[in-house]
Amino acid sequence: MELTRIIHTSILESPIPAKVLAKKIGKPYSTLLREVNPYDEGAKLGVETFVQILKITGDYSPLEFIANELGLDISSKKMRKVG
């Protein structure tokens, strides 16, 4: 649930409004917010949508959380786009 909370916060605090983000991803606003709602155990966020959220928002804190959970040491300061 912690990862979902981080993703939810990332979307809500993004300079890109959540409705615009949902449109760019190709999902209805209500569907996207349900998928990232940390209190809705029935909804799940797909990995493809997760990657799109990272790309569009530029907020890699959810990815950093995953890496930390796996015992990996990465930070957005060290990450850079290749190509």
Side-chain angles (χ1 to χ4, degrees):
M1 183 149 90
E2 180 68 13
L3 176 59
T4 306
R5 186 193 61 73
I6 293 168
I7 297 168
H8 186 251
T9 300
S10 174
I11 289 173
L12 295 181
E13 293 181 356
S14 172
I16 301 167
K19 287 186 178 184
V20 173
L21 177 65
K23 187 172 184 171
K24 287 184 176 199
I25 290 173
K27 288 187 179 264
Y29 171 73
S30 59
T31 300
L32 178 63
L33 287 189
R34 180 166 187 243
E35 289 178 354
V36 300
N37 182 342
Y39 305 105
D40 187 340
E41 295 179 13
K44 303 297 178 205
L45 178 66
V47 70
E48 290 85 5
T49 302
F50 173 68
V51 170
Q52 287 180 303
I53 291 168
L54 295 176
K55 285 181 178 180
I56 295 168
T57 65
D59 179 0
Y60 300 110
S61 60
L63 188 58
E64 291 171 353
F65 175 81
I66 292 170
N68 187 52
E69 287 292 303
L70 297 172
L72 302 173
D73 182 24
I74 66 168
S75 72
S76 58
K77 293 177 185 174
K78 294 179 185 176
M79 290 191 300
R80 61 182 172 84
K81 195 171 185 175
V82 178

